Amino acid sequence: MSHVDSLLLNIRHTSSTIQDLLAECGTTFRVFDKQDSGCVSFGIRIPSGQCLFVKHAGTSGAVSYLKQVEHFHSEVTHPVIPKLLNSFSTLNGYAHVYEWVEGEVLGTPDFPGKEGRSNPESPHYRFRQQSVERIIQALNTVYELHMLLEEHGYVAVDFYDGCMIYDFQLHKLHLCDFDHYTKGAFILEKNRLFGSSRFMAPEEFIRGSRIDYRTNIYAMGAAAFVFLSDGSRELNAWRASEPLYHVVSKAAASLREDRYDSIKSFYEAWKQALASQQD
């Protein structure tokens, strides 16, 4: 591997801006700059032909979250999580280098406005037009990963479709952006947690609420409603089986005590409901 090829994978600090460094290291073929996180990300192809994903934080808050998530990646590895390959400081911030994975983000930063997710060209819309079986396959990936994260004690914060990368050719899902995931339960000290309201539990909007594993469970149920319904939670809008609908409704119950007691128990009920429709 040449010096240029290995630079992004081994550097610890650069006195250059991230833009100047990337120009030195290869060809930038994608820029992800429609974010509200304080980060800008890049797809870069180095001379060897390898593609990398570089995420750069330019504000102090975003830098602290990038540094925080390094512990997450050192503790949790899974085939659907892109590998963190390196991290380094720059003249204008802090950067992570990840392996590149093929696919499209199911959030819609390139389709702004209220029509974004209903735009037929958007990845979100196209994903929802997949068969129920394909969508369930992707949700299984989400649930299996979060069951593992539950075992490690993580609470999912800012989980939404912008964290999902879907390969429409291989029908394969990856998940990314774990910057706000937190080890252990915590008390919400502000009026609203990070995230998309479509995936957020009621307690994530109430200062002083406990955010814990039951909040995770709500997010898992909400994800199913986002992708297998029309935005409502009525049975007549639900595309999958009725037993599956009741499982998801329990997971996404407004009252915490009405939800499952773990993601594992939710996923077991989900699989039982899937099995019942095949009998």
Side-chain angles (χ1 to χ4, degrees):
M1 181 178 289
S2 71
H3 168 71
V4 173
D5 280 341
S6 64
L7 186 58
L8 280 177
L9 300 176
N10 293 286
I11 193 171
R12 289 293 175 264
H13 172 75
T14 176
S15 56
S16 300
T17 65
I18 188 64
Q19 292 83 0
D20 288 344
L21 178 68
L22 295 182
E24 177 186 350
C25 291
T27 302
T28 298
F29 61 89
R30 288 287 303 276
V31 178
F32 306 87
D33 58 357
K34 295 181 176 65
Q35 311 294 325
D36 57 7
S37 63
C39 294
V40 177
S41 300
F42 308 85
I44 181 167
R45 184 176 292 105
I46 58 179
S48 67
Q50 181 182 5
C51 292
L52 301 169
F53 179 83
V54 179
K55 183 174 184 177
H56 185 262
T59 66
S60 59
V63 168
S64 67
Y65 283 118
L66 279 199
K67 291 183 176 180
Q68 172 182 291
V69 80
E70 289 171 10
H71 178 72
F72 172 95
H73 286 286
S74 69
E75 186 177 11
V76 180
T77 58
H78 191 280
V80 304
I81 300 178
K83 293 179 182 177
L84 176 61
L85 304 175
N86 192 27
S87 58
F88 59 91
S89 58
T90 70
L91 178 65
N92 57 333
Y94 193 78
H96 278 174
V97 181
Y98 291 91
E99 66 176 347
W100 178 264
V101 296
E102 293 296 334
E104 299 177 65
V105 177
L106 295 185
T108 56
D110 294 328
F111 296 85
K114 63 181 181 180
E115 74 282 358
R117 287 181 170 81
S118 61
N119 187 316
E121 296 181 6
S122 74
H124 179 93
Y125 183 94
R126 287 158 42 222
F127 178 74
R128 291 186 64 246
Q129 306 315 303
Q130 301 281 299
S131 68
V132 169
E133 291 72 24
R134 292 285 192 198
I135 295 174
I136 287 174
Q137 180 183 35
L139 288 170
N140 286 345
T141 298
V142 172
Y143 299 155
E144 288 166 7
L145 174 62
H146 282 83
M147 191 165 60
L148 171 66
L149 297 183
E150 181 178 69
E151 293 172 3
H152 283 277
Y154 280 98
V155 176
V157 178
D158 198 20
F159 164 79
Y160 73 119
D161 51 0
C163 305
M164 305 176 190
I165 304 170
Y166 191 71
D167 186 328
F168 284 89
Q169 291 187 324
L170 298 180
H171 300 291
K172 187 174 183 179
L173 184 77
H174 284 87
L175 288 100
C176 63
D177 285 346
F178 300 95
D179 300 11
H180 296 292
Y181 278 47
T182 302
K183 193 68 175 285
F186 62 95
I187 300 301
L188 182 59
E189 297 180 348
K190 48 191 176 182
N191 294 329
R192 187 191 195 278
L193 202 52
F194 301 105
S196 165
S197 59
R198 295 165 302 127
F199 293 82
M200 294 170 67
E203 62 265 26
E204 295 181 80
F205 297 90
I206 303 173
R207 182 191 294 267
S209 292
R210 178 181 171 87
I211 308 298
D212 59 12
Y213 65 96
R214 290 192 186 273
T215 313
N216 281 355
I217 295 162
Y218 185 99
M220 301 300 101
F225 276 120
V226 166
F227 294 122
L228 287 171
S229 187
D230 63 355
S232 76
R233 298 194 174 181
E234 300 299 323
L235 178 58
N236 60 8
W238 179 251
R239 293 177 58 196
S241 70
E242 185 170 345
L244 212 57
Y245 170 84
H246 293 301
V247 169
V248 172
S249 295
K250 178 177 172 67
S254 296
L255 296 178
R256 294 162 48 83
E257 59 268 26
D258 291 341
R259 302 172 199 160
Y260 291 94
D261 59 9
S262 67
I263 292 180
K264 181 178 180 180
S265 61
F266 157 68
Y267 190 45
E268 288 175 349
W270 168 273
K271 289 189 291 184
Q272 289 173 1
L274 286 175
S276 70
Q277 70 186 45
Q278 297 170 355
D279 293 340

